[in-house]
Amino acid sequence: MSIDPTAILPRSFYDRPTLVVARELLGAYLVKRENAETWSGAMIVETEAYRGRDDKACHAAGGKTARNEVMFGPPGHAYVYFTYGMHHCLNAVTEALEFPAAVLLRAAQPLLNLESMRERRTGRKDRELLAGPGCLCAGLGIDRSFNTVDLTHPDSRLRIVRGQRVPNSAVDTSSRVGLSKHSGDSRFLPWRTFVRDSPYLSRGRPTRQ
DNA sequence: GTAAGGATGCGCT
DNA sequence: GCGCATCCTTACG
């Protein structure tokens, strides 16, 4: 298994229904350039879909603001936001221009340049380096300076490239993690997708009734 | 093993 | 000012 940082997923990959993109991102490689020679890489194992004005859990449910306007832009760009006063979260924008939607990358299996990840996440086991949306950004050193980065551009320091095929038999879904009451019925949508038996998943518990 | 609460800063009302 | 698409530490079985 080797990562080819030039096998970039094209914009057409993201210009599809968000749930399809969320499913197909499982097994893909998230790749970040550390410097001229060094790349860090990890296989995506857990995602969540956030889609449109009707999804009350979607940041864009209340309309376009300075914070979420990337979600209204063209697909294939990174939406990175800061939350809980300390965590960054990384999303890939999906669907057509002006339709706000994105896939939250929640967990990944470290594959390339684990040294850098261990430095940024001292004291953690390897399986925990990228296990959670905040952890994933911490482990890969992704902050708000990555907001709006084009994930499909050959010069970008952050991109997603072709990875491994994950069979449907290995994929499971659940409701999304961490949504509060204000999301209404949206919080029960089964829009979290993950590789069922991966040891690299987040510890997040899906929203319950 | 699980559960509860605190940390923390930004976006939005 | 309030609440958050979270994570970590602490407490207790």
Side-chain angles (χ1 to χ4, degrees):
Chain A
M1 123 175 66
S2 70
I3 296 181
D4 176 2
T6 67
I8 299 176
L9 296 176
R11 197 169 314 283
S12 56
F13 176 90
Y14 301 95
D15 191 8
R16 295 186 292 168
T18 305
L19 289 183
V20 173
V21 179
R23 159 65 179 90
E24 303 236 337
L25 279 175
L26 298 180
Y29 297 139
L30 176 63
V31 177
K32 185 211 168 201
R33 186 167 54 215
E34 303 288 354
N35 56 49
E37 305 94 41
T38 316
W39 293 87
S40 297
M43 187 180 78
I44 298 167
V45 296
E46 181 179 338
T47 63
E48 279 177 1
Y50 289 88
R51 183 176 192 275
R53 303 287 305 264
D54 294 336
D55 176 7
K56 296 298 182 231
C58 179
H59 280 175
K64 190 190 289 190
T65 68
R67 179 205 202 190
N68 66 25
E69 70 175 337
V70 190
M71 295 182 82
F72 290 81
H77 288 252
Y79 169 40
V80 180
Y81 64 88
F82 186 71
T83 191
Y84 292 100
M86 62 192 89
H87 300 298
H88 297 278
C89 292
L90 169 66
N91 300 253
V93 175
T94 57
E95 306 215 31
L97 194 64
E98 293 305 329
F99 185 88
V103 173
L104 172 68
L105 304 186
R106 289 190 52 88
Q109 172 178 355
L111 293 177
L112 194 63
N113 187 23
L114 275 65
E115 296 78 15
S116 293
M117 302 182 205
R118 291 185 189 116
E119 272 178 34
R120 287 185 282 247
R121 303 264 299 146
T122 46
R124 315 318 306 277
K125 298 175 176 133
D126 283 356
R127 67 178 351 178
E128 300 169 338
L129 291 175
L130 308 175
C135 298
L136 184 147
C137 285
L140 289 172
I142 293 169
D143 57 26
R144 289 203 311 168
S145 74
F146 286 81
N147 193 39
T148 76
V149 163
D150 186 352
L151 299 170
T152 70
H153 195 280
D155 292 336
S156 292
R157 56 190 171 139
L158 185 67
R159 72 270 301 269
I160 302 176
V161 305
R162 194 180 58 239
Q164 304 175 37
R165 236 183 71 78
V166 178
N168 284 335
S169 60
V171 174
D172 212 344
T173 60
S174 76
S175 54
R176 295 172 287 183
V177 173
L179 306 191
S180 59
K181 278 206 174 109
H182 98 277
S183 305
D185 289 341
S186 292
R187 72 197 148 128
F188 303 120
L189 295 168
W191 285 6
R192 171 174 176 248
T193 310
F194 55 100
V195 179
R196 188 190 314 114
D197 296 323
S198 171
Y200 300 93
L201 300 175
S202 74
R203 293 300 185 94
R205 310 269 298 272
T207 308
R208 296 175 306 211
Q209 236 168 333

